[in-house]
Amino acid sequence: MGNELEEAVVVAEEEEERDDVVVGAVDYRGGCAIRSKSGSWRSAWFIIGVEVAERIAYYGIQGNMISYLTGPLHQSTAAAAENVNVWSGTASLLPLAGAFLADSRLGRYRTILLASLVYILGLGLLTLSALLPSLSNSECQVDNELKSCSPRWQIILFFISLYLIAIGQGGHKPCVQAFGADQFDEQHPKEHKDRSTFFNWWYFTMCAGCLATLSILNYIQDNLSWVLGFGIPCAVMIVALIVFLLGTMTYRFTIQQRDKRPFRRIGRVFVAAIRNRRTTHSTTAIKAERDGMLPHQSSEQFEFLNKALLELKDEDSIEEESCSPSEVEEAKAVLRLVPIWSTTLIYAVVFAQVPTFFTKQGVTLERTLLPGFDIPPASLQTLTTAAIVLFSPIYDRLFVPAARAITGKPSGITMLQRIGTGIFLSVITVVFAALVETKRLKTAQESGVVDEPNATVPMSIWWLIPQYMFFGISEVFTMVGLQEFFYDQVPNELRSMGLALYLSIFGVGSFISGFLISVIEKVTGKDGEDSWFANNLNKAHLNYFYWLLAALSVMGLALFTCFAKSYIYNNKGIRRQ
């Protein structure tokens, strides 16, 4: 009896030990990752802290960039908006390269370290460009327009540093969040649930941390010193790198499969399907269904990829290994993302207006809060952040349980329903922005300041609050939904790339915004007429642009809804709306 008890104890201890080992992950020494000593929230908080610091640095530059370009650099409103859009777009597309490097070569941890160093270099050079002979003392007037008379090399240094920051963000942004989510074992019930919560609290904490800091940074940049305003983000990024290194001993590192790299594996499916394109569809479908290789719905979607399941033959009729069902499913999962990706681009176009035209609207309005203290226009962007901070707990604690009671789904609503709700709220945002801008123009006309570009329109800046707040609430739905969707719906080894795809939506959206602005500027400003984006905003028509965005958003939402209804979730084999 005693021996049996001892054996039972030993078996229980072995089972407990096995349960404490995280499958598919190692610790910083390369040994087995122990659940009780690594990962989960203990690691996630280090990584969340790094993201908060990085976002402070990024938005500390991006949030007020249009003021720097139209102020010390003396660019026109349209040119400045285009430059901000191009830079933001580049910064959001470069994560595709960073994710590829991380997923196929360096791994997420090393990519984050390398990207952080480039980031700090860019911020340091940006601070140096503002420290050199002051750009703000270089005003001159040519043909009734302000031109930058600063040394050409100084402006070149400014843009070089700006794009070094974009490169640093390209490696940092997709890897940090994916690395954070990697700290939760999806095979463990509690950690799997925690990982879903991680995305909500990631965005909440990031925005909460940025809220007060960005207000201070914008005030420093507008009223004290651009050198200090750029230097603080540089110092913050240095602290972020130190914090990240401090957490190293707690991190879990995902084991990468080296036999078939994910990009090669997925690409092989498309090559095989093309090589077998002459095979009749009926033969492929019958073979797939007969062998039970693919779920019924999946076998009917993107049917041409099913041909990759057949044996490959080269020109000498030598048989090669056929693609496996799991490889075909991975390729289909990636292909299913394309319609969702493309139909959310209009949301990104609206997103691009917050740090540009929303800010320029605020410059013209009455901004006095206290005698001698004017609200920096870019600080209103913190209202969007405040809305996120206030609404995120409401969403997590009230909305989700209420929706769960109705739908029976653990998350209340599906990821695609969450994204679509945010797109709908963005439509309300631009409609309200158009109405407020129409009122601003009418007030300027009634006050007789239409011909005075630097005059303050007698209308409170608080009129802009609703458009900032509505967009903040829309971000809680769409931004977090997109992050979770593109992390969850790609193959496990490509999760950095999944988050890079999410970021690329906003990169391409910024480019589309810049293209729209450029075309509209040329079309509406020909023959000497004032364009929709005239430097004198009292003669411009931003309201027309907002109405155009509202119409495009409605069309985008309609297309998104159609694709969302037919979307088959990866590894589910069922259709969920």
Side-chain angles (χ1 to χ4, degrees):
M1 186 69 179
N3 291 335
E4 292 179 358
L5 182 60
E6 289 178 3
E7 290 177 0
V9 170
V10 171
V11 171
E13 289 176 349
E14 290 177 350
E15 290 180 353
E16 184 177 351
E17 185 176 346
R18 282 196 299 270
D19 184 63
D20 201 34
V21 174
V22 181
V23 178
V26 296
D27 61 15
Y28 72 104
R29 293 177 177 174
C32 293
I34 306 302
R35 192 181 312 281
S36 58
K37 298 179 180 180
S38 68
S40 193
W41 288 107
R42 71 172 61 82
S43 299
W45 285 119
F46 279 104
I47 299 169
I48 287 174
V50 170
E51 177 66 6
V52 170
E54 188 274 333
R55 289 293 85 186
I56 289 172
Y58 180 79
Y59 286 117
I61 303 302
Q62 188 247 19
N64 210 18
M65 185 56 61
I66 194 166
S67 297
Y68 190 73
L69 293 173
T70 56
L73 287 185
H74 307 301
Q75 292 189 350
S76 68
T77 300
E82 288 179 44
N83 276 325
V84 172
N85 284 330
V86 169
W87 177 69
S88 298
T90 303
S92 296
L93 283 177
L94 283 174
L96 291 171
F100 177 82
L101 185 66
D103 287 342
S104 62
R105 297 291 176 186
L106 294 180
R108 288 164 195 149
Y109 180 82
R110 285 190 289 254
T111 303
I112 293 169
L113 290 180
L114 179 61
S116 296
L117 294 174
V118 175
Y119 214 132
I120 292 169
L121 175 62
L123 289 168
L125 292 177
L126 185 67
T127 305
L128 178 63
S129 72
L131 183 63
L132 293 173
S134 179
L135 291 172
S136 61
N137 295 326
S138 58
E139 294 183 7
C140 65
Q141 197 161 356
V142 180
D143 297 331
N144 297 321
E145 291 185 8
L146 284 174
K147 302 290 184 181
S148 176
C149 301
S150 306
R152 189 175 186 84
W153 59 267
Q154 193 174 22
I155 298 174
I156 291 173
L157 177 61
F158 170 78
F159 280 104
I160 287 175
S161 61
L162 207 60
Y163 281 90
L164 277 174
I165 293 171
I167 293 172
Q169 205 237 194
H172 197 280
K173 186 63 177 172
C175 295
V176 171
Q177 191 170 15
F179 191 60
D182 287 346
Q183 304 308 308
F184 299 91
D185 181 10
E186 61 184 353
Q187 303 301 322
H188 189 271
K190 183 180 183 304
E191 290 195 17
H192 180 71
K193 181 181 178 181
D194 286 344
R195 194 188 74 182
S196 181
T197 303
F198 167 78
F199 285 97
N200 286 329
W201 288 103
W202 168 279
Y203 207 64
F204 168 80
T205 309
M206 179 187 72
C207 293
C210 292
L211 184 58
T213 309
L214 293 184
S215 299
I216 296 170
L217 272 178
N218 290 333
Y219 180 82
I220 290 172
Q221 291 168 349
D222 283 343
N223 298 281
L224 297 179
S225 167
W226 283 101
V227 176
L228 187 58
F230 291 154
I232 290 174
C234 182
V236 168
M237 269 306 296
I238 293 173
V239 173
L241 178 57
I242 294 172
V243 169
F244 183 71
L245 290 172
L246 288 174
T248 298
M249 290 190 294
T250 73
Y251 298 149
R252 294 174 187 169
F253 300 84
T254 302
I255 299 174
Q256 299 289 334
Q257 296 180 4
R258 298 299 179 186
D259 54 339
K260 291 182 182 177
R261 297 188 183 278
F263 293 102
R264 184 183 304 170
R265 192 169 63 237
I266 292 172
R268 182 170 171 268
V269 173
F270 287 94
V271 171
I274 293 172
R275 292 180 64 177
N276 286 336
R277 65 188 180 278
R278 294 178 182 174
T279 304
T280 60
H281 165 68
S282 58
T283 302
T284 307
I286 291 172
K287 177 178 174 58
E289 292 185 12
R290 181 193 65 201
D291 297 340
M293 291 179 173
L294 297 172
H296 177 67
Q297 282 187 319
S298 182
S299 67
E300 293 178 346
Q301 193 175 45
F302 304 126
E303 293 174 321
F304 69 96
L305 289 181
N306 294 346
K307 296 181 179 182
L309 293 169
L310 301 181
E311 290 78 9
L312 301 178
K313 292 186 178 181
D314 61 17
E315 294 177 352
D316 298 322
S317 298
I318 300 175
E319 289 191 0
E320 299 179 11
E321 181 185 357
S322 62
C323 297
S324 68
S326 62
E327 289 173 342
V328 173
E329 278 297 287
E330 284 182 340
K332 288 188 176 186
V334 171
L335 202 55
R336 288 187 197 108
L337 300 177
V338 175
I340 303 300
W341 182 92
S342 59
T343 52
T344 51
L345 288 175
I346 187 58
Y347 180 85
V349 175
V350 176
F351 181 86
Q353 311 317 312
V354 177
T356 54
F357 290 131
F358 279 22
T359 301
K360 289 302 292 182
Q361 279 180 285
V363 172
T364 67
L365 300 177
E366 175 58 53
R367 297 181 283 119
T368 302
L369 183 63
L370 296 171
F373 179 78
D374 289 344
I375 301 171
S379 292
L380 284 190
Q381 293 175 49
T382 59
L383 292 174
T384 298
T385 308
I388 295 169
V389 171
L390 292 172
F391 188 72
S392 290
I394 295 174
Y395 179 88
D396 195 60
R397 302 300 182 188
L398 297 179
F399 179 84
V400 171
R404 185 187 298 132
I406 297 172
T407 65
K409 294 181 173 63
S411 58
I413 56 176
T414 65
M415 290 179 281
L416 290 177
Q417 287 172 335
R418 182 173 187 172
I419 294 167
T421 302
I423 296 175
F424 173 76
L425 291 173
S426 74
V427 176
I428 297 176
T429 299
V430 285
V431 167
F432 201 94
L435 294 174
V436 171
E437 178 62 10
T438 300
K439 177 176 174 55
R440 191 193 69 81
L441 292 174
K442 183 178 179 181
T443 303
Q445 188 175 23
E446 292 174 348
S447 304
V449 297
V450 172
D451 296 320
E452 302 176 34
N454 296 322
T456 299
V457 176
M459 177 176 165
S460 174
I461 196 172
W462 302 123
W463 277 91
L464 300 180
I465 290 178
Q467 64 197 61
Y468 280 101
M469 296 292 284
F470 267 116
F471 198 76
I473 295 173
S474 80
E475 284 193 42
V476 174
F477 284 94
T478 297
M479 298 287 277
V480 180
L482 285 171
Q483 289 172 12
E484 186 174 3
F485 178 79
F486 279 95
Y487 178 86
D488 185 72
Q489 293 298 295
V490 296
N492 292 349
E493 295 166 287
L494 292 179
R495 281 172 166 168
S496 293
M497 182 58 70
L499 289 171
L501 285 171
Y502 142 72
L503 291 168
S504 71
I505 293 172
F506 297 91
V508 175
S510 291
F511 282 119
I512 294 174
S513 176
F515 174 76
L516 282 174
I517 292 170
S518 179
V519 171
I520 293 172
E521 172 80 2
K522 291 179 181 178
V523 172
T524 62
K526 61 184 179 181
D527 300 328
E529 296 291 329
D530 291 314
S531 75
W532 287 7
F533 312 113
N535 289 337
N536 182 356
L537 284 188
N538 297 329
K539 291 185 175 181
H541 286 288
L542 290 182
N543 52 337
Y544 294 170
F545 182 57
Y546 291 149
W547 284 120
L548 174 63
L549 291 183
L552 292 174
S553 295
V554 169
M555 290 189 288
L557 178 59
L559 289 172
F560 173 85
T561 302
C562 291
F563 287 118
K565 285 184 175 180
S566 60
Y567 185 82
I568 300 173
Y569 280 76
N570 187 24
N571 297 326
K572 302 296 182 182
I574 58 173
R575 180 177 297 183
R576 299 192 301 179
Q577 293 183 10

